Amino acid sequence: MHIAERFESVLRFEQPDRPFFFPTIGFWEETIRRWHGEGLPKYVFNDVPAYLYFGFDHWLPFIIGDHELPNLFPPFLPRVLEKKGKYEIFRDHGGKTYKRFTDGSSAIPQFLEAPVKTMDDYRDMRWRLDPGFPGRCANPVFDLMSAYCRLRHVPPAMAISGLFGFHRHLLGVETLMTAYYDIPDVLHAMARDWARLCKGCIRRLRKRYGIVMVNFWEDMCFRSGPMISPKTFREFMTPYYKDVINDARDQGVEFFWVDTDGDCTLVIPLFEEVGVNLLYPFEVQAGMDILKVRENHPNMAILGGLDKRVLAKDKAAIDQEVMARAPAMLKSGGYIVSLDHAVPPDVPLENFKYYLKLLKSRELTGQ
């Protein structure tokens, strides 16, 4: 099997030639820098070359939005709005403003405000959500990505901020929590535009590049559970997700993934209801146990769920974590063995290589 065939086989709960090899969703920047001192070549400078260097199976996302960009095109032009002594106020490409040191200090910038506070604010930026805006869904970079997908038999996907993520980007977390009660009409207006954007982009990317998957970034859960109740989810998210996913299925798109950290137990059935068929990354430190998730949701594909923290320990700890979960999950089908988030900087390169070797062992691959 080539990568795309293996990918689709796993997600359909079939038996591929071997497990889809995608051991982690990414790496901290500090991890890569540490590993440069432990033998990792300098040309491996972020996630993408790391995937290739370590021989990952992978997909290629055509990015419409993500954890930083709220689906706006063109994005805002990042610029300094004001200087105040040793501080400056700047606006990022998502329209959010921050306060940061002017001396290049690495301190985390202080968030000040999100771009949407009123319906008028939102109306002023709605034109950036036009799925047909020139260059959004057809540009030279996407053309090169498509050529790579065809050459390497890699499945093409679309990445976009999910509906909660979209609301969160534009209003900020605190404002969003009260907006469900104070300005529900604004949230529904934004949701209708979000659905229109998703459907338009999916149609265009499916027709031009043959995407097979849509990946929604949400991050809507804390360690103690989701940020909104199931009732709020069903009112403000369910109808729009159903609209998008049903339309995408009509275009031939088969797979719909949601990325949310924290304890996502309560939202799993809600995402199942709207047609999502894979979730990740199932953080162990938030109490997520993929064996229990599989028992309760036998038809939901799963990526992740292995405690990343054990990679900083020893080989015995790595063995124990992987073998306690991965064999049973692989036997159940619909599972991609992976850590429960990006590799942190306390992990030695030697340990990570041992982890990769274990995932390729006969005990897990059957080969």
Side-chain angles (χ1 to χ4, degrees):
M1 284 183 167
H2 55 59
I3 294 175
E5 291 173 335
R6 187 174 304 117
F7 176 85
E8 296 184 9
S9 177
V10 169
L11 297 186
R12 291 171 182 151
F13 284 74
E14 300 169 350
Q15 290 300 318
D17 59 335
R18 62 166 175 78
F20 191 82
F21 187 68
F22 192 77
T24 179
I25 62 173
F27 309 83
W28 288 36
E29 292 181 8
E30 294 87 348
T31 306
I32 296 295
R33 288 200 295 267
R34 169 186 173 154
W35 289 355
H36 286 158
E38 298 175 5
L40 185 70
K42 295 289 186 180
Y43 66 79
V44 182
F45 58 90
N46 65 16
D47 288 354
V48 175
Y51 294 158
L52 299 177
Y53 175 78
F54 290 115
F56 284 23
D57 293 332
H58 56 286
W59 58 94
L60 201 61
F62 293 69
I63 297 175
I64 303 300
D66 57 20
H67 64 289
E68 294 182 336
L69 183 64
N71 309 334
L72 303 179
F73 190 88
F76 285 94
L77 179 66
R79 66 187 182 94
V80 174
L81 303 177
E82 183 181 358
K83 290 192 175 183
K84 295 182 176 181
K86 62 180 180 179
Y87 301 102
E88 65 184 13
I89 309 300
F90 77 101
R91 183 186 67 192
D92 69 9
H93 58 189
K96 294 188 282 288
T97 57
Y98 297 85
K99 180 180 180 180
R100 65 184 178 187
F101 288 109
T102 56
D103 61 3
S105 171
S106 62
I108 297 174
Q110 177 188 354
F111 171 76
L112 296 179
E113 63 179 14
V116 174
K117 294 174 283 297
T118 67
M119 190 63 177
D120 286 341
D121 292 335
Y122 179 62
R123 290 192 184 101
D124 288 342
M125 68 165 56
R126 286 186 70 219
W127 65 276
R128 298 178 188 269
L129 298 168
D130 180 0
F133 195 94
R136 180 190 273 280
C137 293
N139 61 59
V141 173
F142 282 4
D143 290 342
L144 288 174
M145 291 169 61
S146 180
Y148 173 85
C149 288
R150 293 193 300 270
L151 179 65
R152 296 288 304 274
H153 300 289
V154 170
M158 183 182 96
I160 193 166
S161 290
L163 184 49
F164 180 89
F166 173 64
H167 282 147
R168 171 180 165 179
H169 270 311
L170 295 185
L171 281 85
V173 175
E174 292 184 9
T175 299
L176 176 57
M177 294 300 99
T178 58
Y180 291 111
Y181 304 95
D182 296 339
I183 50 171
D185 54 328
V186 175
L187 294 185
H188 282 296
M190 294 173 68
R192 289 190 292 271
D193 288 339
W194 175 85
R196 174 176 172 268
L197 172 69
C198 288
K199 290 189 293 184
C201 289
I202 291 169
R203 284 173 175 264
R204 287 168 171 80
L205 294 178
R206 174 67 180 174
K207 183 177 181 179
R208 188 177 179 94
Y209 302 116
I211 63 166
V212 298
M213 178 182 83
V214 180
N215 189 335
F216 301 97
W217 173 82
E218 287 293 15
D219 271 6
M220 61 183 300
C221 299
F222 289 118
R223 183 169 184 170
S224 57
M227 298 183 194
I228 61 174
S229 69
K231 180 177 182 294
T232 302
F233 187 108
R234 288 194 171 99
E235 179 179 352
F236 289 91
M237 294 180 63
T238 293
Y240 306 105
Y241 257 105
K242 282 185 175 180
D243 183 26
V244 168
I245 290 177
N246 289 341
D247 189 74
R249 288 193 187 282
D250 288 345
Q251 312 311 310
V253 179
E254 186 175 354
F255 308 113
F256 304 91
W257 292 19
V258 165
D259 168 10
T260 183
D261 297 339
D263 181 352
C264 61
T265 302
L266 291 178
V267 300
I268 297 174
L270 300 174
F271 279 118
E272 282 185 313
E273 289 174 9
V274 302
V276 169
N277 45 25
L278 182 142
L279 285 168
Y280 71 100
F282 296 98
E283 290 186 288
V284 176
Q285 65 198 61
M288 297 306 300
D289 182 340
I290 51 176
L291 294 173
K292 291 182 179 178
V293 174
R294 168 57 72 239
E295 181 179 351
N296 295 326
H297 304 278
N299 299 316
M300 176 65 75
I302 291 170
L303 182 153
L306 300 184
D307 193 344
K308 60 188 172 296
R309 297 171 296 180
V310 303
L311 268 64
K313 299 179 181 179
D314 55 26
K315 294 178 180 178
I318 297 171
D319 285 340
Q320 181 177 356
E321 175 66 15
V322 172
M323 301 311 296
R325 304 176 193 271
M329 291 297 299
L330 288 170
K331 184 176 180 180
S332 74
Y335 179 59
I336 296 176
V337 185
S338 190
L339 300 177
D340 62 352
H341 215 283
V343 182
D346 58 350
V347 175
L349 178 58
E350 180 183 358
N351 282 15
F352 184 70
K353 287 183 174 180
Y354 178 79
Y355 164 66
L356 299 186
K357 182 179 179 181
L358 178 59
L359 297 195
K360 293 180 178 180
S361 68
R362 181 175 297 179
E363 292 175 281
L364 292 183
T365 66
Q367 299 176 341

